[in-house]
């Protein structure tokens, strides 16, 4: 075997194979990474794994999702007879007895995955989440009774033969065209979640989305949280703050389907109580601070049009909308429409903030910042000053975080810190300098 690409996923593969006794000195498992980190190198040395060579022949290549499926090395390795798979396929083959619910979609897949695991635990199952979210799936396969697995389009390019008893597609929008090149190819990768399903399996889809599948289709909408029978589980208005109704509706259907697959009873009351105790994932439309009538809402992961639009529709108006980072080519017209009558001002920060704000055609301020934290401090303060004592300062940035932050999580942490510090200081002073348009 060759572990191609380390990082979070590749390290999880290496640890799993070592625990299995399939990796170590003389076991024939190699690794290859163009830019291994110090953590990567330390783990490979600890496990006794040797660096490989893409010019050699391997039976199996376990490619990290960050490696394009058409990377020249992977093409060459396939030409020499290697099967290219990913972490999820390895987990499914190594633990075929582990029931898994797979979740994908352009937006909401992480939150829905965590919510499914939470509901299954509420129903008495030892459920754990993993995959595209922390931890890697292979880190939990030996401790989980059932697994809820977030699956990105990159992961779904490398899951040959995967059969899921329950699969969920939250929605299909536009994303990752830098990798997939076309919307058609991106959607085809997402549809791989149901490619191996058979008539006894269940595919949970939103109302209005149709695609080829052999599985039983169960549909959800944000309007009603109900079982497949139509019995209501919980009124939408009773959901905890930060739990999106569509995610809750999809999670209930998925949990119900897996319970049925396992021959376990389904209790609407138990599922309702589970929903009432649910908490949003950090960084997913979470209220992190309040000052009088102003809420500070972090949705740092909102870089896809569909996710940003959802945030704009859910936030209490008037909204001071923090926009910035590095432009990834998101479609802006739906956001311009969602912002009408709700966004009082756009606060632009980071590398492409001003360009994004200008393209949106809304009133905006540009805040300076030599560092990510300085930019966020200024953006949060400007957002509060743009509101008249009530409304929402919303971080739904459109751009990626890589201009000034390590990742979306560190950008979200910076927003939390800035918002809480500002609230601790009290009401704002009069507006300071900034570029206005």
């Amino acid at each position: 075997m060759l572990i191609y690409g380390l990082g979070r996923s590749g390290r999880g593969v290496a640890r799993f194979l070592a625990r299995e006794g399939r990796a170590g000195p003389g076991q024939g498992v190699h690794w290859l990474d163009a830019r291994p980190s110090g953590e990567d190198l330390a783990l490979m040395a600890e496990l006794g794994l040797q660096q490989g060579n893409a010019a050699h022949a391997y039976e199996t290549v376990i490619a990290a999702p960050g490696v394009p499926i058409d990377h020249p090395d992977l093409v060459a390795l396939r030409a020499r007879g290697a099967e290219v798979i990913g972490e999820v396929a390895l987990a499914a083959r190594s633990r075929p007895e582990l029931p898994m619910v797979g979740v994908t979609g352009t937006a909401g897949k992480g939150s829905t995955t965590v919510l499914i695991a939470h509901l299954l635990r509420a129903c008495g199952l030892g459920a754990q989440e993993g995959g595209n979210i922390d931890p890697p799936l292979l880190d939990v396969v030996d401790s989980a009774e059932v697994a809820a697995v977030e699956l990105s389009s990159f992961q779904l390019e490398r899951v040959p033969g995967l059969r899921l008893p329950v699969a969920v597609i939250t929605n299909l929008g536009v994303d990752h065209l830098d990798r997939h090149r076309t919307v058609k190819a991106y959607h085809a990768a997402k549809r791989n979640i149901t490619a191996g399903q058979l008539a006894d399996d269940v595919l949970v889809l939103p109302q209005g989305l149709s695609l080829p599948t052999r599985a039983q289709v169960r549909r959800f909408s944000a309007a009603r949280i109900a079982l497949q029978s139509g019995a209501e589980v919980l009124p939408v208005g009773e959901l905890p703050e930060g739990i999106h109704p569509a995610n809750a509706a999809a999670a209930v259907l998925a949990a119900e389907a897996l319970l049925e697959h396992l021959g376990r009873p389904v209790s609407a009351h138990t599922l309702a109580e589970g929903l009432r105790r649910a908490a949003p994932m950090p960084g997913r439309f979470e209220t992190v601070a309040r000052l009088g009538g102003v809420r500070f809402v972090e949705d740092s992961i909102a870089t896809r049009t569909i996710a940003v639009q959802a945030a704009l529709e859910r936030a209490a108006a008037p909204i001071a909308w923090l926009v910035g980072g590095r432009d990834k080519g998101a479609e802006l017209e739906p956001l311009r429409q969602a912002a009408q009558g709700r966004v009082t001002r756009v606060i632009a920060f980071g590398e492409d903030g001003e360009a994004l704000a200008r393209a949106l055609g809304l009133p905006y301020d540009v805040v300076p910042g030599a560092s990510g934290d300085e930019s966020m401090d200024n953006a949060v303060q400007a957002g509060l000053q743009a509101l008249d004592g009530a409304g929402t300062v919303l971080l739904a940035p459109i751009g990626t975080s890589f201009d000034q932050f390590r990742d979306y999580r560190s950008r979200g942490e910076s927003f939390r810190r800035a918002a809480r510090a500002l609230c601790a200081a009290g009401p704002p002073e009069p507006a300071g300098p900034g570029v206005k348009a």
Side-chain angles (χ1 to χ4, degrees), residues 2 29-33 36 41 49-53 58:
L2 175 67
V29 175
H30 296 165
W31 64 270
L32 191 61
D33 191 300
L41 293 172
L49 301 188
Q50 294 184 340
Q51 186 170 357
N53 189 321
Y58 294 91

Side-chain angles (χ1 to χ4, degrees), residues 52-120:
N53 189 321
H56 292 170
Y58 294 91
E59 292 181 10
T60 306
V61 175
I62 306 162
V67 180
I69 200 67
D70 58 355
H71 188 285
D73 282 350
L74 297 186
V75 172
L77 287 159
R78 277 194 294 265
R80 295 188 189 93
E83 181 187 26
V84 176
I85 66 172
E87 173 206 356
V88 174
L90 177 63
R93 294 178 183 186
S94 302
R95 298 290 184 271
E97 72 285 357
L98 177 66
M100 293 196 294
V101 179
V103 185
T104 197
T106 303
K109 60 183 180 294
S111 296
T112 303
T113 300
V114 171
L115 191 51
I116 291 169
H118 169 77
L119 291 178
L120 291 172

Side-chain angles (χ1 to χ4, degrees), residues 12-324:
V13 171
R15 287 191 297 265
F16 174 77
L17 292 175
R19 291 196 306 272
E20 292 278 283
R22 297 158 65 184
Q27 293 293 319
V29 175
H30 296 165
W31 64 270
L32 191 61
D33 191 300
R35 292 181 296 276
S37 68
E39 183 180 358
D40 293 334
L41 293 172
L43 181 63
M44 295 305 104
E46 177 187 338
L47 299 179
L49 301 188
Q50 294 184 340
Q51 186 170 357
N53 189 321
H56 292 170
Y58 294 91
E59 292 181 10
T60 306
V61 175
I62 306 162
V67 180
I69 200 67
D70 58 355
H71 188 285
D73 282 350
L74 297 186
V75 172
L77 287 159
R78 277 194 294 265
R80 295 188 189 93
E83 181 187 26
V84 176
I85 66 172
E87 173 206 356
V88 174
L90 177 63
R93 294 178 183 186
S94 302
R95 298 290 184 271
E97 72 285 357
L98 177 66
M100 293 196 294
V101 179
V103 185
T104 197
T106 303
K109 60 183 180 294
S111 296
T112 303
T113 300
V114 171
L115 191 51
I116 291 169
H118 169 77
L119 291 178
L120 291 172
R121 286 192 291 270
C123 293
L125 288 168
Q128 295 195 45
E129 58 266 39
N132 193 54
I133 53 175
D134 285 329
L137 177 59
L138 287 168
D139 280 1
V140 304
V141 292
D142 290 326
S143 56
E145 185 180 1
V146 296
V149 189
E150 181 190 349
L151 296 166
S152 70
S153 58
F154 303 155
Q155 289 172 309
L156 287 168
E157 290 178 314
R158 52 206 79 194
V159 288
L162 177 67
R163 180 185 176 186
L164 295 166
V166 183
V168 181
I169 299 179
T170 58
N171 44 57
L172 286 179
V174 179
D175 198 19
H176 298 308
L177 298 189
D178 53 337
R179 277 275 295 267
H180 296 291
R181 298 187 178 87
T182 67
V183 174
K184 182 179 179 180
Y186 168 61
H187 287 182
K190 291 289 194 185
R191 290 198 303 270
N192 278 340
I193 197 169
T194 190
Q197 289 192 296
L198 300 177
D200 290 340
D201 304 320
V202 171
L203 176 63
V204 178
L205 293 177
Q207 293 287 352
L209 176 61
S210 297
L211 49 83
T213 181
R214 293 184 290 265
Q216 306 167 36
V217 174
R218 302 186 181 184
R219 298 191 178 278
F220 70 90
S221 79
R224 197 161 185 269
I225 304 167
L227 298 175
Q228 174 64 10
S229 65
E232 186 177 58
V233 171
L234 188 73
V236 168
E238 294 184 20
L239 284 172
E241 183 181 39
I243 302 298
H244 196 289
N247 296 342
V252 162
L253 286 178
E256 176 189 25
L258 191 70
L259 289 166
E260 292 173 347
H261 172 76
L262 297 173
R264 303 282 289 256
V266 177
S267 166
H269 173 75
T270 301
L271 291 169
E273 289 306 303
L275 286 175
R276 288 191 175 97
R277 296 193 303 270
M281 289 183 69
R284 269 79 164 182
F285 199 85
E286 182 182 2
T287 298
V288 299
R290 296 176 186 266
L291 182 59
V294 176
R295 290 196 311 162
F296 296 80
V297 174
E298 186 219 329
D299 205 356
S300 180
I301 200 172
T303 62
R304 303 166 178 87
T305 298
I306 192 171
V308 178
Q309 184 175 352
L312 290 171
E313 291 170 351
R314 292 173 65 195
I319 302 167
W321 179 17
L322 274 55
V323 168

